[in-house]
């Protein structure tokens, strides 16, 4: 953990944060703090900060950890990442692996959708249950030292999502769809747009393992999604997601 | 499988390829071919091609698959990927996940090394055994439609590797090391170099989970590795590997 995250309700009025769970174990066993040491902390969806260890102990036969931290938060909350993701629901195993990586790479919104080539049982997985994916998102944030939890929505119907609901879900001015037939690279498309609009945000659509069908691709294009390619190699959904998010963030940074 | 790969020894002199294993099952069950259909094939470390189905059957109580293909190979073998990877041995679980992704993203050489922050038991994993990782590499090649199996070497001593052996392992003219302190982006460094040298190849060094130590970083820099950053977010090794390989390939493509 590069940043210890906590919920607002965990913080006492005097800035004291008491931890007795896996975070306390990490602070004692991995960071090996002593009284007076400092650790980096963050309020979920709020500012980062620094905490001074008031007390850290492990005791009992089951090694129970107990840590008290005096927290000082920065005045500003980090800005949300400038990328939103529209993703056809992948296989549960792949989805499981992706949650922490989305949060680590930086995604403001994860908009999960049905598509022709999404298999129906994919919607039944518990990895679409917030109680399951939220801890995975927070794990990714703690890795990347961010506090902003991606907002997630799940849509079982593609057409109404694209035609009616998408504008309410993402305010990104640049929309791109990853497509093997896209002759222009992801970076080129994003840099062109970012050059004319500082603080532009990007919404990227990534299809199912077999790709979007023709109807879906046409509908996306009709709603402003520009095709962008990533070379001739066909990538698995999880590899493609990480690759494309890295390319977009890199292009947004270089456009600033 | 986007490409069915086979070894040279499997191909008969008349171009007939007989498959009875998982590849045959894939051709019958997933591709659902009938006689006369064509499938994309590739000779491992050789050319790609097209095969016509002469016979495809499944039989017996255990569903044994038996497929005969008439293969026609292209004249040219694809060029090896223009990226080599120097990687501090990661945790076995992470290494397991990475093999197929290396092959899919495109890496010519995987040079695995020790480093101070590599834990000793990491070298004992069977995921460093060629019999275990080669099928994973081939899985990645079949996904990405490539035939070139990355060449792998494992080095238990960092200093002699960097000082003496590296030149024999990678002929890449551009060397970069991923480092959070790198102020220039991976793409910028690669594009600058690629602009002056067409067909330039890149060797990228990625450290252990806790980073290279100061000695290691100094030695890499003394041997021509330029620091390059990927923004302020700290990524897990597996996410970082996929991200950086995507950025390098994108920069090499845009430099052509």
């Amino acid at each position: 953990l590069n940043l210890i995250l906590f919920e607002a309700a965990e913080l006492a009025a005097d800035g004291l944060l008491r931890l007795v769970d896996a975070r306390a174990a990490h602070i004692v066993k991995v960071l090996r703090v002593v009284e007076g040491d400092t650790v980096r902390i963050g309020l979920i969806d709020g500012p980062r900060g620094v905490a001074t260890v008031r007390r850290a102990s492990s005791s009992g036969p089951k090694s129970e950890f107990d840590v008290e931290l005096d927290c000082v938060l920065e005045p500003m909350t980090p800005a949300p990442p400038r990328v939103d993701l529209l993703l056809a629901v992948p296989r549960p195993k792949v989805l499981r692996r992706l949650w922490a990586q989305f949060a680590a790479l930086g995604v403001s919104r994860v908009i999960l959708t049905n598509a022709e080539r999404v298999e129906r049982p994919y919607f039944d997985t518990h990895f679409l249950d917030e109680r399951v994916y939220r801890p995975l998102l927070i794990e990714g944030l703690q890795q990347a030292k961010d506090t902003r939890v991606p907002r997630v929505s799940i849509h079982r119907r593609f057409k109404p999502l694209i035609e009616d609901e998408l504008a309410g879900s993402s305010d990104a001015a640049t929309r791109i769809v990853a497509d093997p037939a896209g002759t222009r690279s992801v970076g080129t498309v994003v840099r062109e747009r970012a050059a004319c609009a500082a603080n532009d945000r990007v919404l990227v659509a990534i299809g199912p393992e077999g790709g979007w069908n023709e109807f879906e691709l046409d509908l996306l294009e009709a709603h402003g999604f520009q095709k962008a390619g990533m070379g001739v190699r066909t990538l698995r959904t999880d590899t493609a997601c990480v690759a494309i998010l890295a390319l977009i963030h890199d292009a947004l940074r270089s456009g600033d």
Side-chain angles (χ1 to χ4, degrees), chain A residues 18-251:
Chain A
R18 184 173 175 200
L19 302 174
V20 294
D21 58 9
R23 294 168 294 178
H26 179 84
I27 290 169
V28 173
K29 286 201 302 186
V30 181
L31 303 182
R32 294 165 196 244
V33 298
V34 296
E35 271 171 47
D37 283 354
T38 56
V39 295
R40 283 173 298 192
I41 46 132
L43 171 62
I44 289 174
D45 287 319
R48 285 180 282 249
V50 170
T52 307
V53 178
R54 186 190 287 194
R55 194 170 61 76
S57 63
S58 63
S59 63
K62 285 187 192 164
S63 259
E64 281 144 13
F65 298 97
D66 193 340
V67 171
E68 286 183 352
L69 302 171
D70 287 308
C71 300
V72 178
L73 293 171
E74 294 169 5
M76 300 282 284
T77 295
R82 287 163 65 186
V83 182
D84 296 332
L85 175 64
L86 169 66
L87 178 68
V89 175
R91 278 185 300 135
K93 207 174 102 178
V94 169
L95 183 61
R96 192 219 163 285
R97 267 205 296 267
L98 279 171
W99 285 120
Q101 300 193 85
F102 290 155
L105 288 157
V107 172
S108 276
R109 299 207 175 234
V110 180
I111 303 160
L112 290 162
T113 180
N114 200 2
E116 189 201 347
R117 290 174 195 143
V118 169
E119 293 182 32
R120 204 52 61 94
Y122 292 0
F123 277 94
D124 300 331
T125 172
H126 67 295
F127 293 119
L128 287 174
D129 179 342
E130 185 171 1
R131 287 164 300 181
V132 175
Y133 68 69
R134 188 175 166 90
L136 299 171
L137 290 173
I138 288 175
E139 178 191 319
L141 293 176
Q142 295 187 129
Q143 166 72 39
K145 294 180 257 178
D146 194 4
T147 68
R148 293 279 202 165
V149 183
R151 291 164 73 174
V152 178
S153 59
I154 300 164
H155 305 262
R156 283 178 175 265
R157 294 176 63 214
F158 180 79
K159 194 162 173 276
L161 168 64
I162 305 304
E163 290 183 337
D164 307 323
E165 299 156 26
L166 200 54
S169 294
S170 170
D171 61 357
T174 300
R175 294 177 166 190
I176 63 180
V177 51
D179 186 72
T183 48
R184 298 162 72 226
S185 80
V186 172
T188 305
V189 173
V190 172
R191 266 188 294 270
E192 270 180 19
R193 292 296 307 245
C196 30
N199 285 314
D200 192 16
R201 305 187 73 261
V202 176
L203 169 62
V204 58
I206 300 179
E209 209 59 66
W212 302 108
N213 70 17
E214 205 176 324
F215 166 79
E216 291 159 353
L217 209 47
D218 287 348
L219 195 68
L220 287 168
E221 286 198 277
H223 286 81
F225 286 81
Q226 298 175 261
K227 283 186 190 172
M230 289 203 294
V232 297
R233 308 178 82 93
T234 311
L235 301 175
R236 242 166 42 194
T237 297
D238 52 342
T239 312
C241 281
V242 173
I244 206 165
L245 290 172
L247 290 170
I248 293 171
H249 276 292
D250 183 70

